[in-house]
Amino acid sequence: MLLLTLESTCDETAAAVIDDRLEVLASVVASQDRLHEKYGGVVPEIASRAHVERIVPVIQETLDQANIRSEQLTAIGVANTPGLAGSLLVGLSAAKALAVAWGKPLVAVNHLQAHVYACRMAARREVFPCVGMVVSGGHTSLYRCQDAVDFELLGSTIDDAAGEAFDKVASMLGLTYPGGPAIQKAAAAGNPQAYQLPRPLLGDADRLAFSFSGLKTAVRYQIAGQGSSLESATARLSSAEVADLAASFQEAAIDCLVGKAELALQQTGLARLCVGGGVAANQRFRQRLEAMAETTGVDLVVAPLALCTDNAIMGAIAIERVKQQRFESLDLDIYPRLDF
Ligand code: KG4
Ligand code: ZN
């Protein structure tokens, strides 16, 4: 069985070819980071236009790398939820066109489930049931994952996503986009205890939820007092202050993420944690997760760096649906918001 998977939920245009033993025959990711850099965040209209330009060359390059012909494909998997509406539409339209032209069935991929499935791809062993954690630019959620496609939401952020907070704080510190890697780099030279920052909801021992907007605002007030201009205060920051603020913010955010992951494990009684999404690329977060796993004895699987940020390899989750013959009609729609 050979599967072509497409991913265009946000600002990466990606395709991959994977077989039913989960071997990756080819994977191509065209990043749009440079296009969005000067805006400090993803601009949806720019993202969807860039997907339109890139999707066909990315698919062609993927098939060339895999050295296969379209007739050899079993099905086409495509991420249709959640994400930016315009971006999702490009991937879905391409997938439908190919499904019709090549006479192949269409398989829907849930992008958040795919982020957890990145752990299954990396582990090369069964990882379900587990607590699944997705920490990305758009989501910060914990799930009870019975199997690859049966997810129950345990809790999520009530305001900003963790990655969004990294991006916004980076911008306040005058660092480049995407903010996560820039904060990580600056934090390496900083003192995580230099600034006292809040750990929102962490003290609420029964509640599986995250909140990052107050933490972001607390950083803002450390840079510039209430009412004063952020821009001029950012320009006055020394590199040591930037490093200390980055380190203090990063530690506070990670305290919340690790604390709630541990709470989800306790509440569910599950003994395995799978973590995916762009923020899971953060070295300090990975260290802290490993330390928690060591003290609690939990089986921890964190997606490898290349599979943390958006890619089409994690779309291999579509194979689970192919096995159950869960194909979609050409009426398949996009669902930008996913309320689960
Ligand atoms: O999963 P992803 O590629 O896209 C979404 O589905 O949102 O995640 C992107 C997010 C961005 O907010 C980016 O700043 C963050 O992941 N990120 C990181 C790191 N690398 C990427 N955050 C913290 N540390 C990193 N090393
Ligand atoms: Zn993602």
Side-chain angles (χ1 to χ4, degrees):
M1 187 201 300
L2 279 181
L3 203 77
L4 172 68
T5 56
L6 304 184
E7 154 64 43
S8 71
T9 58
C10 188
D11 64 339
E12 262 95 28
T13 321
V17 174
I18 301 132
D19 71 15
D20 50 348
R21 288 167 308 147
L22 302 183
E23 295 295 339
V24 180
L25 279 74
S27 166
V28 175
V29 181
S31 163
Q32 300 179 12
D33 282 352
R34 280 189 37 237
L35 297 180
H36 303 285
E37 199 174 45
K38 63 173 176 271
Y39 304 102
V42 178
V43 182
E45 186 60 28
I46 293 176
S48 47
R49 283 167 191 260
H51 283 306
V52 171
E53 285 167 10
R54 290 153 194 230
I55 190 97
V56 173
V58 163
I59 293 169
Q60 188 61 60
E61 167 81 21
T62 307
L63 294 177
D64 290 349
Q65 266 187 24
N67 198 20
I68 59 154
R69 296 178 318 280
S70 58
E71 303 92 80
Q72 293 171 264
L73 290 171
T74 312
I76 298 168
V78 60
N80 71 324
T81 186
L84 300 170
S87 294
L88 287 165
L89 270 178
V90 178
L92 181 60
S93 306
K96 284 182 181 177
L98 295 178
V100 173
W102 296 341
K104 304 292 176 187
L106 196 60
V107 185
V109 167
N110 175 315
H111 180 76
L112 299 180
Q113 294 179 346
H115 267 304
V116 174
Y117 203 73
C119 298
R120 167 72 184 87
M121 292 300 285
R124 309 212 56 86
R125 62 178 162 93
E126 193 48 78
V127 298
F128 300 103
C130 65
V131 168
M133 184 178 203
V134 180
V135 195
S136 72
H139 296 86
T140 310
S141 309
L142 286 159
Y143 303 93
R144 180 200 300 271
C145 310
Q146 230 29 67
D147 59 42
V149 291
D150 180 2
F151 279 36
E152 178 199 341
L153 182 67
L154 298 170
S156 59
T157 179
I158 57 169
D159 41 54
D160 290 353
E164 194 180 350
F166 271 87
D167 293 335
K168 287 177 178 169
V169 168
S171 157
M172 291 193 282
L173 293 175
L175 301 171
T176 51
Y177 175 83
I183 296 258
Q184 173 177 307
K185 196 160 167 239
N191 170 8
Q193 265 98 48
Y195 293 89
Q196 296 304 310
L197 295 172
R199 269 80 173 150
L201 302 183
L202 187 58
D204 198 340
D206 300 323
R207 191 158 170 216
L208 276 179
F210 304 92
S211 166
F212 293 102
S213 115
L215 172 57
K216 174 192 69 189
T217 308
V219 175
R220 193 221 176 276
Y221 289 149
Q222 291 289 347
I223 302 171
Q226 219 161 347
S228 41
S229 149
L230 179 65
E231 234 172 48
S232 51
T234 297
R236 282 197 302 273
L237 288 174
S238 68
S239 55
E241 284 170 325
V242 170
D244 283 346
L245 278 163
S248 302
F249 161 75
Q250 179 176 264
E251 205 65 17
I254 291 172
D255 276 347
C256 298
L257 293 169
V258 176
K260 293 300 179 184
E262 199 174 344
L263 182 60
L265 290 159
Q266 282 164 9
Q267 286 192 356
T268 57
L270 288 163
R272 188 180 296 123
L273 175 66
C274 288
V275 189
V279 179
N282 185 280
Q283 290 303 334
R284 179 71 185 144
F285 182 33
R286 299 171 82 91
Q287 274 173 9
R288 292 281 311 275
L289 283 167
E290 276 160 24
M292 184 264 278
E294 205 156 298
T295 46
T296 56
V298 156
D299 177 18
L300 172 71
V301 188
V302 186
L305 292 188
L307 298 189
C308 283
T309 46
D310 290 347
N311 64 87
I313 292 175
M314 62 193 195
I317 190 175
I319 285 168
E320 307 284 340
R321 286 183 176 250
V322 174
K323 284 182 189 159
Q324 298 168 8
Q325 300 283 299
R326 285 169 70 178
F327 300 121
E328 307 294 331
S329 76
L330 290 174
D331 292 339
L332 180 66
D333 209 344
I334 56 157
Y335 298 95
R337 297 182 64 89
L338 188 70
D339 296 319
F340 98 122

PDB file of all heavy atoms in Angstrom, residues 249-271:
ATOM      1  N   PHE A 249      10.728  33.710  30.444  1.00  0.00           N
ATOM      2  CA  PHE A 249       9.462  33.390  29.777  1.00  0.00           C
ATOM      3  C   PHE A 249       9.416  31.906  29.411  1.00  0.00           C
ATOM      4  O   PHE A 249       8.427  31.209  29.689  1.00  0.00           O
ATOM      5  CB  PHE A 249       9.276  34.246  28.509  1.00  0.00           C
ATOM      6  CG  PHE A 249       8.267  33.664  27.569  1.00  0.00           C
ATOM      7  CD1 PHE A 249       6.906  33.760  27.844  1.00  0.00           C
ATOM      8  CD2 PHE A 249       8.668  32.967  26.438  1.00  0.00           C
ATOM      9  CE1 PHE A 249       5.958  33.171  27.006  1.00  0.00           C
ATOM     10  CE2 PHE A 249       7.734  32.382  25.580  1.00  0.00           C
ATOM     11  CZ  PHE A 249       6.384  32.487  25.869  1.00  0.00           C
ATOM     12  N   GLN A 250      10.490  31.435  28.790  1.00  0.00           N
ATOM     13  CA  GLN A 250      10.524  30.038  28.343  1.00  0.00           C
ATOM     14  C   GLN A 250      10.294  29.086  29.514  1.00  0.00           C
ATOM     15  O   GLN A 250       9.510  28.135  29.421  1.00  0.00           O
ATOM     16  CB  GLN A 250      11.875  29.764  27.674  1.00  0.00           C
ATOM     17  CG  GLN A 250      12.049  28.337  27.176  1.00  0.00           C
ATOM     18  CD  GLN A 250      13.370  28.142  26.445  1.00  0.00           C
ATOM     19  OE1 GLN A 250      13.433  28.216  25.234  1.00  0.00           O
ATOM     20  NE2 GLN A 250      14.428  27.875  27.179  1.00  0.00           N
ATOM     21  N   GLU A 251      10.954  29.374  30.648  1.00  0.00           N
ATOM     22  CA  GLU A 251      10.825  28.494  31.817  1.00  0.00           C
ATOM     23  C   GLU A 251       9.394  28.509  32.361  1.00  0.00           C
ATOM     24  O   GLU A 251       8.847  27.463  32.721  1.00  0.00           O
ATOM     25  CB  GLU A 251      11.821  28.943  32.898  1.00  0.00           C
ATOM     26  CG  GLU A 251      12.221  27.863  33.858  1.00  0.00           C
ATOM     27  CD  GLU A 251      12.994  26.712  33.227  1.00  0.00           C
ATOM     28  OE1 GLU A 251      13.518  26.859  32.110  1.00  0.00           O
ATOM     29  OE2 GLU A 251      13.026  25.633  33.849  1.00  0.00           O
ATOM     30  N   ALA A 252       8.790  29.710  32.386  1.00  0.00           N
ATOM     31  CA  ALA A 252       7.421  29.815  32.904  1.00  0.00           C
ATOM     32  C   ALA A 252       6.452  29.035  32.003  1.00  0.00           C
ATOM     33  O   ALA A 252       5.595  28.281  32.488  1.00  0.00           O
ATOM     34  CB  ALA A 252       7.006  31.284  32.985  1.00  0.00           C
ATOM     35  N   ALA A 253       6.590  29.201  30.688  1.00  0.00           N
ATOM     36  CA  ALA A 253       5.705  28.498  29.752  1.00  0.00           C
ATOM     37  C   ALA A 253       5.882  26.987  29.891  1.00  0.00           C
ATOM     38  O   ALA A 253       4.907  26.224  29.929  1.00  0.00           O
ATOM     39  CB  ALA A 253       5.995  28.951  28.319  1.00  0.00           C
ATOM     40  N   ILE A 254       7.143  26.560  30.005  1.00  0.00           N
ATOM     41  CA  ILE A 254       7.420  25.116  30.092  1.00  0.00           C
ATOM     42  C   ILE A 254       6.917  24.537  31.417  1.00  0.00           C
ATOM     43  O   ILE A 254       6.397  23.412  31.453  1.00  0.00           O
ATOM     44  CB  ILE A 254       8.921  24.847  29.873  1.00  0.00           C
ATOM     45  CG1 ILE A 254       9.275  25.157  28.413  1.00  0.00           C
ATOM     46  CG2 ILE A 254       9.294  23.410  30.229  1.00  0.00           C
ATOM     47  CD1 ILE A 254      10.754  25.125  28.100  1.00  0.00           C
ATOM     48  N   ASP A 255       7.038  25.302  32.501  1.00  0.00           N
ATOM     49  CA  ASP A 255       6.483  24.844  33.791  1.00  0.00           C
ATOM     50  C   ASP A 255       5.005  24.501  33.621  1.00  0.00           C
ATOM     51  O   ASP A 255       4.530  23.466  34.113  1.00  0.00           O
ATOM     52  CB  ASP A 255       6.609  25.950  34.850  1.00  0.00           C
ATOM     53  CG  ASP A 255       7.979  25.958  35.521  1.00  0.00           C
ATOM     54  OD1 ASP A 255       8.726  24.987  35.352  1.00  0.00           O
ATOM     55  OD2 ASP A 255       8.285  26.962  36.207  1.00  0.00           O
ATOM     56  N   CYS A 256       4.279  25.380  32.933  1.00  0.00           N
ATOM     57  CA  CYS A 256       2.837  25.154  32.737  1.00  0.00           C
ATOM     58  C   CYS A 256       2.603  23.917  31.870  1.00  0.00           C
ATOM     59  O   CYS A 256       1.746  23.079  32.177  1.00  0.00           O
ATOM     60  CB  CYS A 256       2.188  26.366  32.065  1.00  0.00           C
ATOM     61  SG  CYS A 256       2.321  27.860  33.060  1.00  0.00           S
ATOM     62  N   LEU A 257       3.352  23.799  30.778  1.00  0.00           N
ATOM     63  CA  LEU A 257       3.146  22.669  29.853  1.00  0.00           C
ATOM     64  C   LEU A 257       3.447  21.333  30.535  1.00  0.00           C
ATOM     65  O   LEU A 257       2.644  20.388  30.469  1.00  0.00           O
ATOM     66  CB  LEU A 257       4.042  22.835  28.614  1.00  0.00           C
ATOM     67  CG  LEU A 257       3.692  24.020  27.693  1.00  0.00           C
ATOM     68  CD1 LEU A 257       4.786  24.243  26.654  1.00  0.00           C
ATOM     69  CD2 LEU A 257       2.342  23.780  27.001  1.00  0.00           C
ATOM     70  N   VAL A 258       4.592  21.267  31.215  1.00  0.00           N
ATOM     71  CA  VAL A 258       4.991  20.001  31.842  1.00  0.00           C
ATOM     72  C   VAL A 258       4.062  19.675  33.014  1.00  0.00           C
ATOM     73  O   VAL A 258       3.642  18.529  33.192  1.00  0.00           O
ATOM     74  CB  VAL A 258       6.474  20.046  32.290  1.00  0.00           C
ATOM     75  CG1 VAL A 258       6.862  18.777  33.039  1.00  0.00           C
ATOM     76  CG2 VAL A 258       7.388  20.242  31.082  1.00  0.00           C
ATOM     77  N   GLY A 259       3.709  20.712  33.782  1.00  0.00           N
ATOM     78  CA  GLY A 259       2.828  20.499  34.943  1.00  0.00           C
ATOM     79  C   GLY A 259       1.488  19.923  34.533  1.00  0.00           C
ATOM     80  O   GLY A 259       0.979  18.976  35.151  1.00  0.00           O
ATOM     81  N   LYS A 260       0.897  20.473  33.472  1.00  0.00           N
ATOM     82  CA  LYS A 260      -0.430  19.993  33.054  1.00  0.00           C
ATOM     83  C   LYS A 260      -0.333  18.626  32.351  1.00  0.00           C
ATOM     84  O   LYS A 260      -1.273  17.821  32.425  1.00  0.00           O
ATOM     85  CB  LYS A 260      -1.111  21.015  32.149  1.00  0.00           C
ATOM     86  CG  LYS A 260      -1.469  22.315  32.870  1.00  0.00           C
ATOM     87  CD  LYS A 260      -2.429  22.119  34.053  1.00  0.00           C
ATOM     88  CE  LYS A 260      -2.752  23.427  34.758  1.00  0.00           C
ATOM     89  NZ  LYS A 260      -3.585  23.270  35.945  1.00  0.00           N
ATOM     90  N   ALA A 261       0.769  18.361  31.681  1.00  0.00           N
ATOM     91  CA  ALA A 261       0.944  17.034  31.073  1.00  0.00           C
ATOM     92  C   ALA A 261       0.969  15.983  32.182  1.00  0.00           C
ATOM     93  O   ALA A 261       0.335  14.918  32.080  1.00  0.00           O
ATOM     94  CB  ALA A 261       2.233  16.991  30.258  1.00  0.00           C
ATOM     95  N   GLU A 262       1.676  16.297  33.263  1.00  0.00           N
ATOM     96  CA  GLU A 262       1.765  15.366  34.392  1.00  0.00           C
ATOM     97  C   GLU A 262       0.387  15.163  35.022  1.00  0.00           C
ATOM     98  O   GLU A 262       0.001  14.046  35.363  1.00  0.00           O
ATOM     99  CB  GLU A 262       2.766  15.926  35.414  1.00  0.00           C
ATOM    100  CG  GLU A 262       3.258  14.868  36.359  1.00  0.00           C
ATOM    101  CD  GLU A 262       4.371  15.368  37.282  1.00  0.00           C
ATOM    102  OE1 GLU A 262       4.975  16.418  37.022  1.00  0.00           O
ATOM    103  OE2 GLU A 262       4.590  14.673  38.293  1.00  0.00           O
ATOM    104  N   LEU A 263      -0.363  16.264  35.128  1.00  0.00           N
ATOM    105  CA  LEU A 263      -1.718  16.166  35.698  1.00  0.00           C
ATOM    106  C   LEU A 263      -2.621  15.285  34.828  1.00  0.00           C
ATOM    107  O   LEU A 263      -3.409  14.481  35.341  1.00  0.00           O
ATOM    108  CB  LEU A 263      -2.308  17.581  35.836  1.00  0.00           C
ATOM    109  CG  LEU A 263      -3.701  17.689  36.446  1.00  0.00           C
ATOM    110  CD1 LEU A 263      -3.734  17.126  37.865  1.00  0.00           C
ATOM    111  CD2 LEU A 263      -4.190  19.154  36.462  1.00  0.00           C
ATOM    112  N   ALA A 264      -2.490  15.416  33.507  1.00  0.00           N
ATOM    113  CA  ALA A 264      -3.301  14.593  32.599  1.00  0.00           C
ATOM    114  C   ALA A 264      -2.968  13.108  32.764  1.00  0.00           C
ATOM    115  O   ALA A 264      -3.855  12.251  32.737  1.00  0.00           O
ATOM    116  CB  ALA A 264      -3.059  15.023  31.146  1.00  0.00           C
ATOM    117  N   LEU A 265      -1.699  12.819  32.969  1.00  0.00           N
ATOM    118  CA  LEU A 265      -1.289  11.418  33.180  1.00  0.00           C
ATOM    119  C   LEU A 265      -1.888  10.893  34.481  1.00  0.00           C
ATOM    120  O   LEU A 265      -2.412   9.778  34.539  1.00  0.00           O
ATOM    121  CB  LEU A 265       0.240  11.317  33.213  1.00  0.00           C
ATOM    122  CG  LEU A 265       0.915  11.544  31.860  1.00  0.00           C
ATOM    123  CD1 LEU A 265       2.380  11.929  32.032  1.00  0.00           C
ATOM    124  CD2 LEU A 265       0.802  10.294  30.979  1.00  0.00           C
ATOM    125  N   GLN A 266      -1.829  11.735  35.527  1.00  0.00           N
ATOM    126  CA  GLN A 266      -2.401  11.318  36.823  1.00  0.00           C
ATOM    127  C   GLN A 266      -3.898  11.101  36.704  1.00  0.00           C
ATOM    128  O   GLN A 266      -4.430  10.087  37.155  1.00  0.00           O
ATOM    129  CB  GLN A 266      -2.153  12.403  37.881  1.00  0.00           C
ATOM    130  CG  GLN A 266      -0.763  12.416  38.436  1.00  0.00           C
ATOM    131  CD  GLN A 266      -0.473  13.737  39.155  1.00  0.00           C
ATOM    132  OE1 GLN A 266      -1.367  14.555  39.364  1.00  0.00           O
ATOM    133  NE2 GLN A 266       0.783  13.951  39.518  1.00  0.00           N
ATOM    134  N   GLN A 267      -4.587  12.057  36.070  1.00  0.00           N
ATOM    135  CA  GLN A 267      -6.060  11.967  35.998  1.00  0.00           C
ATOM    136  C   GLN A 267      -6.535  10.784  35.169  1.00  0.00           C
ATOM    137  O   GLN A 267      -7.555  10.190  35.470  1.00  0.00           O
ATOM    138  CB  GLN A 267      -6.624  13.267  35.429  1.00  0.00           C
ATOM    139  CG  GLN A 267      -6.583  14.413  36.420  1.00  0.00           C
ATOM    140  CD  GLN A 267      -7.399  15.621  35.973  1.00  0.00           C
ATOM    141  OE1 GLN A 267      -7.948  15.648  34.873  1.00  0.00           O
ATOM    142  NE2 GLN A 267      -7.474  16.633  36.808  1.00  0.00           N
ATOM    143  N   THR A 268      -5.820  10.470  34.100  1.00  0.00           N
ATOM    144  CA  THR A 268      -6.268   9.383  33.212  1.00  0.00           C
ATOM    145  C   THR A 268      -5.752   8.025  33.661  1.00  0.00           C
ATOM    146  O   THR A 268      -6.275   6.993  33.251  1.00  0.00           O
ATOM    147  CB  THR A 268      -5.766   9.602  31.762  1.00  0.00           C
ATOM    148  OG1 THR A 268      -4.331   9.710  31.814  1.00  0.00           O
ATOM    149  CG2 THR A 268      -6.359  10.841  31.136  1.00  0.00           C
ATOM    150  N   GLY A 269      -4.670   8.035  34.454  1.00  0.00           N
ATOM    151  CA  GLY A 269      -4.048   6.772  34.842  1.00  0.00           C
ATOM    152  C   GLY A 269      -3.267   6.149  33.694  1.00  0.00           C
ATOM    153  O   GLY A 269      -2.794   5.010  33.797  1.00  0.00           O
ATOM    154  N   LEU A 270      -3.117   6.875  32.590  1.00  0.00           N
ATOM    155  CA  LEU A 270      -2.348   6.351  31.454  1.00  0.00           C
ATOM    156  C   LEU A 270      -0.857   6.486  31.753  1.00  0.00           C
ATOM    157  O   LEU A 270      -0.431   7.405  32.458  1.00  0.00           O
ATOM    158  CB  LEU A 270      -2.710   7.099  30.165  1.00  0.00           C
ATOM    159  CG  LEU A 270      -4.098   6.777  29.605  1.00  0.00           C
ATOM    160  CD1 LEU A 270      -4.551   7.825  28.592  1.00  0.00           C
ATOM    161  CD2 LEU A 270      -4.096   5.388  28.977  1.00  0.00           C
ATOM    162  N   ALA A 271      -0.072   5.577  31.205  1.00  0.00           N
ATOM    163  CA  ALA A 271       1.345   5.547  31.558  1.00  0.00           C
ATOM    164  C   ALA A 271       2.246   5.970  30.405  1.00  0.00           C
ATOM    165  O   ALA A 271       3.456   5.787  30.447  1.00  0.00           O
ATOM    166  CB  ALA A 271       1.727   4.148  32.026  1.00  0.00           C
TER     167      ALA A 271
END
